[in-house]
């Protein structure tokens, strides 16, 4: 899960596509995936993770992530479903509150950067 997030952060579209479960036909969604990957992701909190009590090949991860677009900080929260397949976990799908709904915040250039680097926004992700 974290590796997928890191791939977003590093903008590794191929990796993100490859870690979708085969049933997702991720290749066909490459364009949307690339768009999502191209956002400036800056923070990830894993809220909880759990295995399905009925099926040990199904796992869930709930996380909150933040990204920056046009100097505005957006948050999203998602409950992702992962499927264990051929010895690896693959992303299957997720349920989420629409992106953005946790009050978008306009970031000022001299504000502390939301990625928590401790630097000013203009010297970091800005
Ligand atoms: Zn930053």
């Amino acid at each position: 899960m974290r590796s997928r997030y890191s791939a977003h952060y590093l903008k590794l579209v191929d990796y993100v596509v490859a870690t979708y479960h085969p049933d997702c036909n991720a290749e066909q969604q490459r364009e949307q995936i690339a768009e999502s990957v191209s956002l400036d992701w800056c923070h990830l909190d894993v809220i909880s993770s759990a295995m399905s009590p009925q099926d040990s090949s199904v796992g869930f991860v709930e996380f909150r992530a933040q990204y920056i677009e046009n100097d505005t900080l957006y948050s999203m929260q998602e409950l992702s479903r992962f499927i264990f397949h051929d010895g690896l976990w693959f992303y299957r799908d997720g349920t989420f509150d629409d992106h953005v709904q946790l009050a978008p915040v306009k970031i000022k250039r001299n504000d502390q950067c939301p990625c928590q680097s401790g630097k000013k926004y203009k010297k970091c992700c800005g």
Side-chain angles (χ1 to χ4, degrees):
M1 217 307 288
R2 274 185 187 276
S3 67
R4 270 178 63 86
Y5 173 78
S6 304
H8 276 85
Y9 193 80
L10 299 168
K11 310 198 191 305
L12 304 175
V13 178
D14 289 336
Y15 181 86
V16 175
V17 170
T19 54
Y20 271 85
H21 192 270
D23 291 351
C24 297
N25 296 317
E27 266 310 324
Q28 273 137 58
Q29 302 172 49
R30 175 175 277 271
E31 216 163 285
Q32 284 119 283
I33 293 168
E35 202 172 297
S36 151
V37 169
S38 74
L39 295 168
D40 282 321
W41 295 94
C42 70
H43 194 65
L44 172 76
D45 286 316
V46 174
I47 299 164
S48 63
S49 60
M51 302 292 291
S52 162
Q54 292 87 23
D55 183 347
S56 64
S57 69
V58 178
F60 295 96
V61 177
E62 187 175 17
F63 68 94
R64 184 177 301 140
Q66 297 183 323
Y67 62 90
I68 299 167
E69 198 175 22
N70 299 327
D71 295 335
T72 304
L73 181 67
Y74 296 92
S75 301
M76 61 164 295
Q77 194 165 325
E78 176 176 322
L79 180 65
S80 299
R81 186 162 63 120
F82 288 81
I83 310 275
F84 199 68
H85 174 82
D86 280 350
L88 291 170
W89 286 98
F90 289 89
Y91 178 80
R92 182 64 184 87
D93 52 21
T95 40
F96 42 99
D97 314 329
D98 282 320
H99 284 213
V100 176
Q101 292 15 321
L102 311 174
V105 184
K106 191 85 183 162
I107 311 161
K108 295 192 201 81
R109 299 192 41 74
N110 286 316
D111 285 353
Q112 217 182 74
C113 192
C115 75
Q116 302 183 350
S117 63
K119 294 183 209 155
K120 286 187 177 176
Y121 176 61
K122 66 181 177 191
K123 297 205 163 148
C124 188
C125 304

